[in-house]
Amino acid sequence: MDRCVVLVDAGYLLGAAASLLAGEPSRSRIIVDHAAVVAGLRERAERETGQPLLRIYWFDGAPDRVPQPEHRRLRVMPRVTVRLGALTRTDGRWAQKGVDAAMHAELSELARNRACSDIVLVTGDGDLLPGMMSAKEHGVAVHLWAVQAADGDYNQSEDLVAEADERRVLDREWITAAIRARDGICAPTVSTRPDIGPEIAAILSAPLPESAAGAPPQEGHPAHPAHQPDPAENGTAPAPRAEPADAESAGPGGKVVPTPKDLAGLGKPHPAPPAPHPAPSATLRWSSEKGWTDRGAGPDVPDTSGLPTLAQLTTAEQRWADREADITAVSGDPYEVGQVFARRWTARLADSGQLQQLSTHYPRVPHRIDGELLRYAARFGLLAHKDDQIDEHDRYAIRAGFWREVDTRTGVEHGQGSD
């Protein structure tokens, strides 16, 4: 059959694109226009093979194989079929399970049934070598496409490259037509240095270890702020990056800030200190666009029990409408996600006084609402591909978007002016 089919390993395509554009293979570092990716794949496949497209198969992982918003958008596009494997957490890292097996089965089945004359593989995994060889034996031409490697070397299995009938590279120009790094994120430029070989380039372009996540940025490794309002535009200062839980952090003037572990121990009985020393007092400090804000523990903390959650304010009909809007209109940017959540919450409040009450809690999002906000963000894959359960930069951006929308409704400008 004179048609072409494209099989896309989304983990490889988007991970390699993130390495190329943002310096590390984390999808949270890039923004993807999936419609543009699909259109680009179709146009190039038809041009390279000289055959009309039959279908694009998009293989990806998802927690419990539950489609994420990007998957729901993709599977309603013309000529696109989504196949999902599992996304599991092992040794603190997320890994795809079953994606390679699904690609292998689809590749073999298409070739055996002579459903197409050309198959384009966008992958780098050598586990597909037997499937590629089987397809060739059935008379199918196999085209292997690579994403341009950040260090100028191969990012595909050498055996896979050797066995392919045709090989092409999706270069930076092609990638940036549909994918871009998030604002403020840029990839190391080690590939442009003539004085180092590919082995050293690969080491230099590797992501920082987790233990260095809280360290100040070094030369060649710029900080990566998440989507937040430009401080120059709204007069706010960016939220500080959280230190590791076991590190001692100090506020202005060298005042020590209690860690969550310290605060958890405040309610436990402990031996009284010696008489000459007064009992210690603790100060809660909340992160915000404005920086660190002190709030005393105990009676000074506002009562938030009377504020309803979004779920309590949402009818079944609204829930369906919300889901449709999430699929079609919300990009998944952390700042925008916070805005959308706050827009729905504030619009459904029957008592406008509750909105004013919420505003007095700034910069702390009430606990129940904050948990619901982060669970809502998880629907967009913001938390699904992280080595840590919740990325600190995303949390800042989500909450900043939430407060910006609340400020719009109340007319209060939090974080403006001097401290």
Side-chain angles (χ1 to χ4, degrees), residues 45-390:
E46 291 181 336
R47 173 163 48 85
E48 294 282 351
T49 65
Q51 306 294 345
L53 177 76
L54 171 62
R55 191 173 298 115
I56 294 175
Y57 288 90
W58 187 273
F59 296 86
D60 202 1
D64 298 323
R65 289 186 168 88
V66 176
Q68 299 297 297
E70 64 187 79
H71 303 138
R72 295 199 292 269
R73 286 192 289 268
L74 280 163
R75 65 185 183 180
V76 297
M77 294 180 186
R79 305 278 179 158
V80 176
T81 296
V82 176
R83 297 281 188 259
L84 294 179
L87 192 65
T88 60
R89 191 176 177 87
T90 305
D91 296 328
R93 303 187 69 86
W94 291 99
Q96 293 184 159
K97 299 294 183 182
V99 173
D100 297 337
M103 288 190 71
H104 182 281
E106 200 71 57
L107 175 62
S108 301
E109 194 72 11
L110 289 167
R112 184 165 48 250
N113 293 328
R114 300 187 182 277
C116 56
S117 59
D118 297 77
I119 292 179
V120 175
L121 287 177
V122 185
T123 186
D125 198 331
D127 290 344
L128 289 177
L129 182 62
M132 177 186 285
M133 296 174 66
S134 174
K136 291 173 64 178
E137 291 171 358
H138 284 88
V140 174
V142 180
H143 306 250
L144 182 65
W145 290 0
V147 175
Q148 179 181 338
D151 57 11
D153 204 354
Y154 288 119
N155 55 10
Q156 292 176 302
S157 161
E158 184 179 342
D159 292 334
L160 210 61
V161 171
E163 191 67 28
D165 293 311
E166 301 283 348
R167 182 175 183 267
R168 295 289 184 270
V169 176
L170 303 176
D171 59 16
R172 182 185 291 269
E173 180 180 0
W174 191 94
I175 293 295
T176 53
I179 304 171
R180 64 180 177 86
R182 292 192 182 278
D183 293 346
I185 297 178
C186 59
T189 56
V190 295
S191 60
T192 63
R193 291 180 53 185
D195 57 322
I196 59 176
E199 296 83 6
I200 302 300
I203 294 173
L204 293 178
S205 62
L208 289 173
E210 292 183 7
S211 59
Q218 304 295 322
E219 183 176 348
H221 295 284
H224 305 300
H227 270 237
Q228 297 191 37
D230 187 349
E233 295 178 1
N234 56 28
T236 62
R241 186 164 187 169
E243 294 294 333
D246 58 349
E248 182 178 274
S249 62
K255 186 169 57 178
V256 174
V257 181
T259 66
K261 182 177 180 181
D262 298 331
L263 297 175
L266 291 177
K268 298 178 180 178
H270 57 276
H277 300 284
S281 61
T283 299
L284 293 174
R285 312 187 80 237
W286 306 104
S287 59
S288 69
E289 292 178 271
K290 190 175 180 180
W292 290 107
T293 301
D294 290 344
R295 283 188 182 271
D300 293 336
V301 178
D303 179 21
T304 61
S305 58
L307 293 176
T309 63
L310 178 60
Q312 292 172 331
L313 299 171
T314 304
T315 65
E317 293 79 8
Q318 287 173 325
R319 189 171 293 109
W320 279 105
D322 290 348
R323 181 171 297 182
E324 183 67 21
D326 290 342
I327 296 173
T328 59
V330 182
S331 69
D333 172 77
Y335 189 81
E336 181 189 1
V337 166
Q339 285 184 302
V340 170
F341 181 93
R343 189 176 303 128
R344 291 173 183 169
W345 191 86
T346 56
R348 295 168 191 173
L349 279 174
D351 183 359
S352 59
Q354 291 178 320
L355 184 57
Q356 297 297 331
Q357 180 188 0
L358 172 68
S359 184
T360 64
H361 298 162
Y362 179 86
R364 178 177 181 264
V365 181
H367 178 70
R368 290 189 305 152
I369 298 174
D370 189 52
E372 191 180 35
L373 171 60
L374 295 179
R375 288 193 296 273
Y376 173 67
R379 300 180 191 176
F380 296 88
L382 292 174
L383 316 179
H385 300 283
K386 300 296 193 308
D387 292 337
D388 298 319
Q389 186 176 3
I390 301 178

